[in-house]
Amino acid sequence: MGILSRMIPTEDASARKREIEEKLKQEQETLSFIRENLEKSDQLTKGMVSILSSFESRLMQLENSIIPVHKQTENLQRLQDNVDKTLSCMDHVISYYHVAKDTDRIIREGPTGRLDEYLACIAKIQKAVEYFQDNNPDSPELNTVKARFEKGKELLEAEFRNLLTRYSKPVPPILILDAISVDEELEVQEEVVLEHLPEAVLQDIICIAGWLVEYGRNQDFMNVYFQIRSNQLDRSIKGLKEHFRKSSASSGVPYSPAVQTKRKDTPTKKVPKRPGTIRKAQNLLKQYSQHGLDGKKGGSNLTPLEGKDDVLDIEIDSYIHCISAFVKLAQSEYALLLEIIPEHHQKKTFDSLIQEALDNLMLEGDNIVSAARRAIMRHDYSAVLTIFPILRHLKMNKSEFDSTLQGTAASTKNKLPTLITSMETIGAKALEEFADSIKNDPDKEYNMPKDGTVHELTSNAILFLQQLLDFQETAGAMLASQESSSSASSYTSEFNKRLLSTYICKVLGNLQLNLLSKSKVYEDAALSAIFLHNNYNYILKSLEKSELIQLVTVTQKRAESLYRELIEQQIISYKSSWFKVTEHLSEKNMPVFQPGTKLKDKERQIIKDKFKGFNDGLEELCKTQKGWAIPDKEQRDFIRRSQKTVVSEAYRAFLQRCANISFTKNPEKYHKYHPEHVEEMIEKLFDTSA
């Protein structure tokens, strides 16, 4: 056991030693291999260094040979570039000497149909001019290209004029009417575009205008522009007036045929409403003169207002629409002008452009004012009715008018306000003189209605006032314009309404005074009462029917009741005419007798006289009053009915008292009429056809 224990460690050490020796041997072999490789690497490195050194030497030799060649080549290239540039410059310069010849044909033929090519030629000529001015100002070529440039500019100006002249056409009247019409049934109005020039032509004109401003140094084209467009604007408005004249002559109502040509699914526009003018008054006058208040023909002998016909109505409508057309066309012209005329010249050019059309409109307005003034001098106050619709339209459109003319000269802006002031002045003068004429209308016997019906003065006055209903604001402002108060600018609509109400009350007061004076022309007091009754009743009914009463009551609260009182007073006055008939039926002087007692001759004569007086009076009154007229059926029936009651009851009572009295051998001679017959006779009063 001891030997074995000693042997095991010895063997392990020997194996360990062998193992170490073996690893050492391997390491030595590896080291030898590395040394060999390092030696080879050193040899290769030395070889590479030798090669690189040789290559570097050769490169230096090559560089020393190439650099002089490169520099020489670079110099040659630079010389070549300079030669090319010189040749190019020479060609460019030489081209300026040929510009006149190269562009001669195109310039001579003009820009029509090839504006871009023409402007390119002009640009070449302009560059040639600049070249010669900078480099050779004394050369004859400069004069040549300058002349060619001026010729080209003249032809461009001519083309500008020709394009404008050829394509500027008056706007058709039907298109203008569509543009200014308003369809109340449409919530959103369809905008009508007024195209003055075809788009391609417009672009050419804009291009030419831009060139003339930038290169042509010329502003004459702006004068050409406003002259041509001004003429077209004026012709468009005149064409609209002619359309009104022809349409009215053929159909009586001017309207736009364009409405008929629209597709079925296109909402049609209403024709602008025609304003109320004197035709309305004339028609009403004719209606009253033929039918009276109750519609019964022959109830009145009125005559229409003096000397106005449909032609004047058409002229007024035409003028009003021309005012609207001017605003719409001027706005359209300004929009076109913005695209063509330079910004700092736009307002001045626009001012010049609209002058002719605006002056013609203002002149026509002045002529209307002058015609109204002449008519007023002839005491034809109905002429003021022509002013009202025009003045209302002008004032309604004044803000848009002012907006359109914004930026124009003060003299241009003031033309419309001046016309409005003239119309307000002459209108107010007519209103005041009309009121005075109502008061001072002479009491001419031959001019009084024989049947006691409504006087012409009354009907004309009422119809005149009725027209003011359509123009309350205008008439009120017209009266306010003449107020001397310094606060005129602060007048309100309510103030104007009160002024108009005061004026109407003044006219009615003057009319009442004049009617009272005229009634005294009649010798028969009963006819005078009927005359006043008819006129007062006509006034009241007219006030109520036309709603004038609401305007009157603004300042005269009891107007309606006052007229009713006046009417009642005249009915009472008329009834008094029957006293001379019914007084014979009273018990006055009637003899007192007992039944069966024989009357004395004197007593019999009293009864005979009463019968005779009643019969004669009844016959005379019925004969006379049958020819009188009460046009109002309601009033006529009321007066007949109340008079029948009074007379019939008195007559029946009289007959009853005389029933058992023997006062004559021929009772039928005195008892000519039965009560029913008397009622029939009274029923025929105021009936000229009976």
Side-chain angles (χ1 to χ4, degrees), residues 74-275:
E74 188 178 27
N75 290 334
L76 290 174
Q77 184 65 41
R78 189 179 297 110
L79 290 174
Q80 179 65 37
D81 290 342
N82 289 338
V83 170
D84 291 342
K85 288 180 180 179
T86 301
L87 290 174
S88 177
C89 288
M90 290 297 295
D91 290 340
H92 184 65
V93 170
I94 291 172
S95 69
Y96 289 133
Y97 287 86
H98 292 89
V99 163
K101 180 180 178 182
D102 294 342
T103 60
D104 179 67
R105 181 182 61 82
I106 294 177
I107 296 299
R108 197 165 10 91
E109 293 177 356
T112 303
R114 50 176 178 184
L115 182 61
D116 292 340
E117 182 182 4
Y118 189 84
L119 290 177
C121 286
I122 291 288
K124 290 180 181 178
I125 297 172
Q126 187 176 13
K127 288 180 180 178
V129 171
E130 293 172 353
Y131 170 80
F132 288 119
Q133 284 178 335
D134 294 339
N135 298 282
N136 194 1
D138 298 326
S139 65
E141 285 79 5
L142 176 60
N143 295 330
T144 302
V145 291
K146 270 188 174 181
R148 187 57 49 83
F149 181 79
E150 291 300 321
K151 179 65 176 177
K153 185 170 73 172
E154 289 176 7
L155 291 176
L156 273 177
E157 293 171 356
E159 179 69 4
F160 183 86
R161 178 188 294 273
N162 291 337
L163 287 175
L164 268 179
T165 303
R166 187 181 314 129
Y167 293 100
S168 291
K169 304 296 181 184
V171 180
I174 56 175
L175 190 58
I176 296 176
L177 285 175
D178 282 343
I180 64 177
S181 65
V182 176
D183 192 339
E184 298 175 351
E185 296 178 359
L186 295 179
E187 293 182 2
V188 179
Q189 295 298 319
E190 179 184 352
E191 183 69 22
V192 177
V193 179
L194 301 177
E195 183 178 305
H196 297 286
L197 297 168
E199 183 60 29
V201 173
L202 175 60
Q203 293 306 317
D204 283 352
I205 289 175
I206 293 172
C207 187
I208 295 173
W211 188 93
L212 290 173
V213 171
E214 185 174 358
Y215 302 109
R217 306 291 189 271
N218 188 314
Q219 297 181 3
D220 291 342
F221 78 93
M222 287 183 268
N223 295 331
V224 171
Y225 179 84
F226 90 70
Q227 289 168 1
I228 294 175
R229 294 307 307 170
S230 174
N231 179 261
Q232 297 309 318
L233 174 61
D234 190 52
R235 287 176 61 191
S236 296
I237 294 176
K238 288 178 177 176
L240 179 61
K241 291 175 63 177
E242 183 65 15
H243 173 75
F244 264 81
R245 187 186 66 80
K246 290 181 178 179
S247 297
S248 300
S250 60
S251 64
V253 178
Y255 82 111
S256 169
V259 173
Q260 297 178 343
T261 61
K262 293 184 177 181
R263 301 189 307 271
K264 290 183 180 180
D265 59 345
T266 303
T268 58
K269 294 181 186 226
K270 289 183 179 178
V271 181
K273 288 184 177 180
R274 305 180 67 193

Side-chain angles (χ1 to χ4, degrees), residues 372-391:
R373 185 178 291 110
R374 290 192 299 270
I376 292 168
M377 292 176 65
R378 298 193 306 268
H379 306 294
D380 177 14
Y381 302 107
S382 64
V384 75
L385 297 175
T386 65
I387 299 291
F388 279 102
I390 297 174
L391 181 57

Side-chain angles (χ1 to χ4, degrees), residues 31-46:
L31 182 61
S32 298
F33 177 75
I34 290 172
R35 284 196 184 104
E36 289 176 0
N37 286 336
L38 284 173
E39 290 176 357
K40 289 181 181 179
S41 178
D42 288 341
Q43 291 176 0
L44 290 173
T45 298
K46 290 178 180 178

Side-chain angles (χ1 to χ4, degrees), residues 476-605:
M478 194 179 278
L479 294 169
S481 69
Q482 305 305 304
E483 290 291 311
S484 58
S485 171
S486 60
S487 61
S489 60
S490 63
Y491 289 155
T492 62
S493 177
E494 187 62 29
F495 178 81
N496 294 346
K497 188 174 183 179
R498 290 189 65 83
L499 276 180
L500 182 58
S501 176
T502 301
Y503 171 77
I504 292 175
C505 290
K506 177 182 177 181
V507 172
L508 293 176
N510 289 349
L511 178 60
Q512 183 179 340
L513 291 174
N514 195 296
L515 289 172
L516 192 59
S517 175
K518 288 183 184 302
S519 68
K520 296 176 182 177
V521 172
Y522 294 110
E523 296 179 358
D524 192 327
L527 181 56
S528 176
I530 289 296
F531 170 77
L532 290 175
H533 165 274
N534 284 333
N535 282 270
Y536 292 154
N537 185 63
Y538 177 89
I539 293 171
L540 177 60
K541 290 296 180 67
S542 297
L543 292 178
E544 292 174 336
K545 286 183 178 179
S546 64
E547 299 180 359
L548 265 173
I549 193 67
Q550 284 88 344
L551 197 54
V552 170
T553 52
V554 171
T555 54
Q556 180 55 268
K557 303 297 183 184
R558 294 190 63 247
E560 191 171 0
S561 61
L562 288 174
Y563 273 109
R564 294 195 186 282
E565 290 173 8
L566 289 172
I567 293 169
E568 183 62 29
Q569 289 173 8
Q570 299 310 315
I571 292 176
I572 293 172
S573 296
Y574 162 73
K575 288 182 176 180
S576 65
S577 68
W578 282 84
F579 289 169
K580 63 182 179 180
V581 175
T582 56
E583 68 177 354
H584 296 289
L585 305 178
S586 67
E587 294 185 1
K588 184 180 179 181
N589 298 326
M590 194 72 174
V592 179
F593 56 89
Q594 297 295 327
T597 304
K598 184 176 181 181
L599 297 177
K600 298 177 182 179
D601 291 341
K602 183 179 180 180
E603 293 174 335
R604 286 197 298 271
Q605 189 60 44

